[in-house]
Amino acid sequence: MRAALAPGVRLLRALPRDSRYRGLTLVLTFLSYSSYHLSRKPISIVKSQLHPNCSALGPNPHNDSNSTTWCSWAPFDGDNYKELFGALDNAFLVAYAIGMFISGIFGERLPLRYYLSGGMLLSGFFTALFGLGYFWNIHVLWYFIVVQVCNGLVQTTGWPAVVACVGNWFGKGKRGLIMGIWNSHTSVGNILGSLIAGVWVSSAWGLSFVVPGIIITLAGIICFFFLVEYPEDVDCDPPLHHMASDDNPGGVTISEKDPEAVTSKEGPLSLSGQSSVDHSHNPKEPAEEPEAISFLGALRIPGVVEFSLCLLFAKLVSYTFLYWLPLYIVNVAHFGAKEAGDLSTLFDVGGILGGIFAGLISDYTGGRATTCCVMLVIAAPMLFLYNHVGQNGIGISIGMLIICGALVNGPYALITTAVSADLGTHESLKGNAKALSTVTAIIDGTGSVGAALGPLLAGLISPTGWNNVFYMLIAADVLACLLLVRVVVKEARGWCGYMARQRGSSVQLTESVMDGK
């Protein structure tokens, strides 16, 4: 007697073909980028083990003169260990920032599946190579610096590729909410990276890198076998990137013939981009495939420069927390390395909630820039409060970490996902969809400059006191907000125009009713 068809299979068969492939794309790209962040996180957990408080471990068994650093890992056993940690972070992040500007150009011109899966295999190799320094008993700084530089370069393959894949499958619709939920891969990867690295940080810290390296390698293999780049490749309908609608109060309705939006490069930015015609192209027809956009052409898209510079400062704050939060908790709250790593994951939990909230609000209002600005404005005083009262109790610390994570990572998540996808399919491109990877790389590459500066500045400033580090983060947060003022003003004008049209329609309806009487 045959059993009934499995419930999961019945559910899959009930879903439309397009929905199944869209779901598969979301899951695979989520898995891919989670593994990227999973492999980046261990360095922040292992720092406290490379230079621990040796006096707390008892007397020096080697009987040398230095009784406070006998258990540290050379070359991080000197008084300049914070500067060396900053150099490690900076090696990765500077290489990442430089490579990102180039990566997007390659991403537009190479098969995304090969590009992404190849990058994941190389990332796994270099992540594991850092951890092997423990087993090979390597104590020279240049080895760890070189590995970090190589890993930073190959990890640039990830973000432009996954955003381009998701952008190819999902149109405007509820892009902010969908990509806000999807963008939780960043925080999920950070959380898993912290927990996995914490398992071995006190016993054999090399495994804190080797195991994540193996995981991202396996994820790359899965991606190679199952990722579908374009809907047309499996005979699915391409998404509608631009829609004509007057129901969105946050956007500026721009017709296809509007010379300011199409002909001029200085037209108003509508992140809810409307156009009356869908300009989708079939990538399988070479004769109709448009050329990939140039670097300068992508910079001319309205809003790219503003959001790129905003992300520079927003990512500065986020990555400073990513790389230095566990050490800050160890130094200020006096937790152990594993406990500090586990507690730091709450910042990423807040980041998940903040990304979803930012996407949902920006979809509802149509104001991507306004949503970012409001969250950044609130984040500044919250950072100040966390530094001064965040360690007054475990409950307060948990609550403040979640709130700060939501407010700091919400704008960062929104800009790197929905905003990048909106600008990569902007109506000024006249239907050329081959800009997603380049635009994403420009925005995230500029943000990565801030990501490199943040940990470096934290390493230089922290010897003068953690208060100064937080003042630097608050200043960066305010600058990120100020850089979006012009776009916020345009969104406000769009709302005013929408309200005026609504009032005009109400007056006309009233007059028509009165005339009928």
Side-chain angles (χ1 to χ4, degrees), residues 41-98:
K41 186 64 177 178
I43 185 65
S44 67
I45 305 300
V46 171
K47 279 178 183 175
S48 58
Q49 190 62 28
L50 295 177
H51 189 97
N53 180 11
C54 299
S55 59
L57 301 179
N60 182 359
H62 307 296
N63 295 321
D64 1 51
S65 56
N66 195 339
S67 61
T68 59
T69 61
W70 62 266
C71 65
S72 299
W73 186 271
F76 307 104
D77 54 349
D79 293 336
N80 64 337
Y81 71 98
K82 288 185 179 178
E83 287 81 357
L84 296 184
F85 288 157
L88 277 184
D89 298 339
N90 209 48
F92 176 92
L93 293 168
V94 169
Y96 185 88
I98 294 172

Side-chain angles (χ1 to χ4, degrees), residues 10-31:
R10 289 203 303 270
L11 176 62
L12 287 175
R13 290 182 63 181
L15 292 173
R17 175 185 175 84
D18 288 16
S19 297
R20 292 201 297 270
Y21 278 106
R22 286 194 179 95
L24 176 65
T25 301
L26 281 178
V27 170
L28 288 177
T29 51
F30 186 97
L31 172 67

Side-chain angles (χ1 to χ4, degrees), residues 153-472:
L153 289 173
V154 298
Q155 287 233 345
T156 61
T157 57
W159 191 240
V162 295
V163 173
C165 284
V166 174
N168 288 336
W169 278 92
F170 292 88
K172 301 297 290 188
K174 297 186 181 298
R175 180 181 276 168
L177 176 60
I178 291 172
M179 298 192 85
I181 297 172
W182 172 76
N183 190 65
S184 62
H185 52 49
T186 299
S187 297
V188 169
N190 290 339
I191 292 170
L192 291 176
S194 297
L195 297 177
I196 292 172
V199 173
W200 293 284
V201 65
S202 299
S203 55
W205 63 259
L207 290 174
S208 297
F209 292 90
V210 173
V211 173
I214 294 172
I215 292 173
I216 189 174
T217 299
L218 294 175
I221 294 172
I222 293 172
C223 177
F224 177 81
F225 280 104
F226 293 100
L227 184 65
V228 180
E229 299 175 28
Y230 295 96
E232 298 90 337
D233 291 344
V234 287
D235 300 321
C236 292
D237 296 327
L240 190 66
H241 289 299
H242 307 296
M243 297 174 292
S245 173
D246 291 328
D247 296 329
N248 183 5
V252 182
T253 303
I254 302 174
S255 69
E256 191 180 347
K257 295 182 180 180
D258 184 351
E260 191 177 16
V262 178
T263 305
S264 170
K265 300 299 182 184
E266 303 297 330
L269 171 67
S270 167
L271 289 183
S272 306
Q274 292 91 356
S275 175
S276 57
V277 180
D278 176 25
H279 297 287
S280 299
H281 288 266
N282 189 336
K284 294 189 295 184
E285 299 177 9
E288 297 182 6
E289 185 175 358
E291 293 183 2
I293 195 170
S294 67
F295 184 87
L296 291 177
L299 283 177
R300 294 191 188 103
I301 298 173
V304 168
V305 173
E306 289 94 335
F307 278 104
S308 296
L309 293 176
C310 173
L311 186 64
L312 186 151
F313 291 103
K315 205 166 180 179
L316 183 153
V317 179
S318 179
Y319 267 64
T320 302
F321 272 94
L322 175 68
Y323 281 88
W324 286 90
L325 181 58
L327 187 62
Y328 169 78
I329 294 173
V330 168
N331 290 346
V332 177
H334 307 295
F335 284 104
K338 185 180 186 307
E339 291 78 8
D342 293 344
L343 190 61
S344 70
T345 61
L346 294 170
F347 184 82
D348 295 298
V349 171
I352 295 174
L353 300 176
I356 295 172
F357 179 78
L360 180 63
I361 295 300
S362 67
D363 275 343
Y364 178 75
T365 63
R368 308 278 200 224
T370 305
T371 303
C372 290
C373 267
V374 171
M375 296 184 77
L376 290 168
V377 166
I378 302 173
M382 289 297 106
L383 292 175
F384 181 84
L385 286 175
Y386 173 66
N387 182 44
H388 284 82
V389 304
Q391 310 303 329
N392 289 352
I394 189 66
I396 295 176
S397 183
I398 290 173
M400 292 298 297
L401 278 172
I402 293 175
I403 293 171
C404 289
L407 294 172
V408 168
N409 284 336
Y412 163 33
L414 186 62
I415 293 173
T416 54
T417 55
V419 170
S420 296
D422 288 349
L423 294 176
T425 55
H426 194 261
E427 60 268 21
S428 64
L429 296 172
K430 301 179 182 179
N432 183 357
K434 291 186 70 64
L436 266 170
S437 185
T438 301
V439 169
T440 300
I442 289 174
I443 292 176
D444 199 52
T446 306
S448 297
V449 174
L453 287 174
L456 174 64
L457 291 174
L460 296 174
I461 296 172
S462 58
T464 68
W466 286 105
N467 285 345
N468 294 329
V469 174
F470 274 85
Y471 293 146
M472 180 266 290

